[in-house]
């Protein structure tokens, strides 16, 4: 069996990447269920009393292995993997009471949600760890509609790999007209022969290569589920990549879905240009899937990121009478979220250079030779790296501007004033993919490798291919110390982390 931690995406996938630029109040058709019937786990709402959502982290078991004969010990929110679905309205004040019944400290981070800093769930930066047996009350306003998720932000490589994650859906005031909505939390699992989760976390090989890759891929805890759809049906699919490290390249089997939102925020509806959709840890994507009115048989969705090691994701089996005789013509356009627009002309400019890991030397040389990295800036980075060498202990393999921010105690990567616009050039001078995630804000992706992006999309997690450079822009309208890190969790553990400070 191949060691998954050494795998690299194919040259074709690498080149493709470098060249890439709620259920409705009234469904279009009667007689269609609002949620996926009989599929997945954890899709019930969290129990609430007096407007409080209760979320508890505790040991549990789940039948993840196909056939369900062998239960897998997991850690779960409210006893299920994924955890309970939290569904709220845009503009709603949200109150979640978190109880930790694990034997170690934990927390909840509201991934992608622009919460107050004290509610961001990052022990050591925004709050104290929630000790075993203790509770913590998270309160925030759901000001942005979209697809979000929640997970711990302490010992993350272990706690997420053991199953601690769930979806948070913030519904638009006027949802799109669709027949059904699916919420898919996509994960992979590294399991032993008896169905147990591999207990070795943060292994050096994982940290320095592609991260912890598992051999079993699931959607909502189910491997390659069969899902019944009807001809002519219009479905909103909310996808969340909850894996520690796996980047998916999703082949939609010719369905040509329209992408309508990234990381919760609307984009101009369009069918992605590439034959596969690259979907990295931490990212979310909303699609409109129109099942052809004359369709029959099944559509097999497949992950094709690693050639020769494709993963079946789900089978959409067409059955029943057509919902309509032609493709639905209702609007796919979502209303904008209230995000402040960066002032690009007067913006502060910053640079972040990501280096390290295995086999990265050639990539760095290439970037210097092609002029993507300024010689003066590189000299500063190398000077910092030299001064850091004596401090590189405890797992530091990756560096940010020559630093190991997970361990160096040197403060923020940079500081910004309240309401300031900032453009950050982020450069991946490594041989591996990195989804870079910013807490507390959303940013526009302005360009990739010097070319303006077609849709100027708002995101909070930008995927960088090896040797790729991107420009992102945001406004510091949310004061505090905010994490900025790779969401391949083993890379974060290995030093690809840090925080920015906004006054």
């Amino acid at each position: 069996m191949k060691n998954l931690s050494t795998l690299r995406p194919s040259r074709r996938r690498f080149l493709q990447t470098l060249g890439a630029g709620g259920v409705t109040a009234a469904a279009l058709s009667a007689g269609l269920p609002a949620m996926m019937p009989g599929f997945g786990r954890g899709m019930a709402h969290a129990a609430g009393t007096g407007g409080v959502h209760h979320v508890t982290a505790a040991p549990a078991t789940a039948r993840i292995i196909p056939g369900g004969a062998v239960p897998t010990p997991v850690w779960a929110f409210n006893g299920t993997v994924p955890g309970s679905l939290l569904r709220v309205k845009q503009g709603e004040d949200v109150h979640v009471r978190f109880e930790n019944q694990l034997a170690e400290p934990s927390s909840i981070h509201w991934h992608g949600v622009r919460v107050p800093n004290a509610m961001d769930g990052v022990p050591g930066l925004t709050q104290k760890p929630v000790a075993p047996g203790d509770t913590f009350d998270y309160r925030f306003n759901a000001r942005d509609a979209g697809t979000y998720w929640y997970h711990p932000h302490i010992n993350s490589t272990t706690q997420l790999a053991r199953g601690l994650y769930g979806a948070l859906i913030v519904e638009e005031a006027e949802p799109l007209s669709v027949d059904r909505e699916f919420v898919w939390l996509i994960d992979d699992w590294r399991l032993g022969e008896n169905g147990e989760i591999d207990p070795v976390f943060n292994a050096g090989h994982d940290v320095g290569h592609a991260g912890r890759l598992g051999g079993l891929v699931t959607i909502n805890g189910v491997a390659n589920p069969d899902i019944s759809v009807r001809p002519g049906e219009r479905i909103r699919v909310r996808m969340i990549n909850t894996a520690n490290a796996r980047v998916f390249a999703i082949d939609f089997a010719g369905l040509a879905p329209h992408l309508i939102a990234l990381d919760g925020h609307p984009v101009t509806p369009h069918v992605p240009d590439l034959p596969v959709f690259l979907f990295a840890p931490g990212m979310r994507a909303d699609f409109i899937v129109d099942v052809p009115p004359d369709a029959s048989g099944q559509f097999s969705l497949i992950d094709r990121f690693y050639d020769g090691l494709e993963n079946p994701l789900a089978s959409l089996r067409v059955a029943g009478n057509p919902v309509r005789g032609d493709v639905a013509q209702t609007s796919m356009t979502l209303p904008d979220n209230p995000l402040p627009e960066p002032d690009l002309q007067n913006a502060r400019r910053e640079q972040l250079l990501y280096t390290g890991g295995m086999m990265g030397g050639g990539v760095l040389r290439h970037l210097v030779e092609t002029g993507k990295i300024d010689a003066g800036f590189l000299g500063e980075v190398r000077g910092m790296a030299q001064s850091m060498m004596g401090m590189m202990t405890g797992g530091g393999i990756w560096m940010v501007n020559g630093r190991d921010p997970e361990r160096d105690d040197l403060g923020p990567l940079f500081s910004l004033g309240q309401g300031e616009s900032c453009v950050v050039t982020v450069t991946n001078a490594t041989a591996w993919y990195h989804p870079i995630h910013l807490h507390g804000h959303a940013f526009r992706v302005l360009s990739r490798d010097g070319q303006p992006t077609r849709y100027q999309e708002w995101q909070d997690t930008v995927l960088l291919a090896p040797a790729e450079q991107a420009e992102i822009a945001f406004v510091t309208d949310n004061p505090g110390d905010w994490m900025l890190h790779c969401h391949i969790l083993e890379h974060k553990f290995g030093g690809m982390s840090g925080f920015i400070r906004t006054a």
Side-chain angles (χ1 to χ4, degrees), residues 364-385:
L364 181 59
R365 285 193 297 273
H366 167 75
L367 291 172
V368 172
E369 291 168 358
T370 56
K372 281 188 179 180
I373 300 177
D374 176 76
F377 175 63
L378 182 60
E380 295 175 11
V381 168
R382 284 175 168 163
M384 174 62 75

Side-chain angles (χ1 to χ4, degrees), residues 151-209:
H151 61 79
H153 220 286
I154 180 172
N155 194 20
S156 302
T157 53
T158 298
Q159 294 195 14
L160 270 77
R162 291 192 180 278
L164 284 170
Y165 52 79
L168 169 65
I169 304 302
V170 182
E171 297 177 344
E172 300 89 10
E174 297 182 6
L176 294 181
S177 292
V178 296
D179 298 309
R180 278 193 289 172
E181 177 182 290
F182 298 164
V183 180
W184 288 359
L185 293 90
I186 308 177
D187 195 6
D188 68 347
W189 302 82
R190 187 181 289 183
L191 303 177
E193 293 182 359
N194 297 318
E196 77 284 0
I197 293 172
D198 186 333
V200 179
F201 298 95
N202 303 319
H205 221 263
D206 292 342
V207 174
H209 291 76

Side-chain angles (χ1 to χ4, degrees), residues 424-453:
V424 185
T425 301
V426 286
T427 304
N428 178 8
T430 82
W432 305 91
Y433 283 74
H434 301 293
I436 304 300
H437 171 54
L438 174 62
H439 290 209
H441 300 76
F443 49 74
R444 279 202 186 277
V445 182
L446 301 178
S447 68
R448 290 181 178 272
D449 288 333
Q451 299 300 311
T453 58

Side-chain angles (χ1 to χ4, degrees), residues 19 47 93 122 186 215 217 275 302 310 325 337 347 366 378-379 389 460 462 469:
D93 289 326
V122 182
I186 308 177
V217 174
I302 297 174
E310 291 78 9
N337 282 324
H366 167 75
L378 182 60
M389 291 308 294
D460 56 63
V462 60
Q469 186 176 78

Side-chain angles (χ1 to χ4, degrees), residues 55-60 74-79 98-107 130-135 164:
V55 176
T56 300
V74 298
W75 296 350
F77 287 127
N78 292 352
F98 170 58
E99 181 179 352
N100 181 14
Q101 292 184 4
L102 302 173
E104 67 180 53
S106 192
S107 72
V130 183
D134 282 357
T135 63
L164 284 170

Side-chain angles (χ1 to χ4, degrees), residues 35 38 108 224 305 309 321:
M35 297 296 291
I108 292 181
N224 193 23
F305 192 75
L309 288 171
N321 296 324

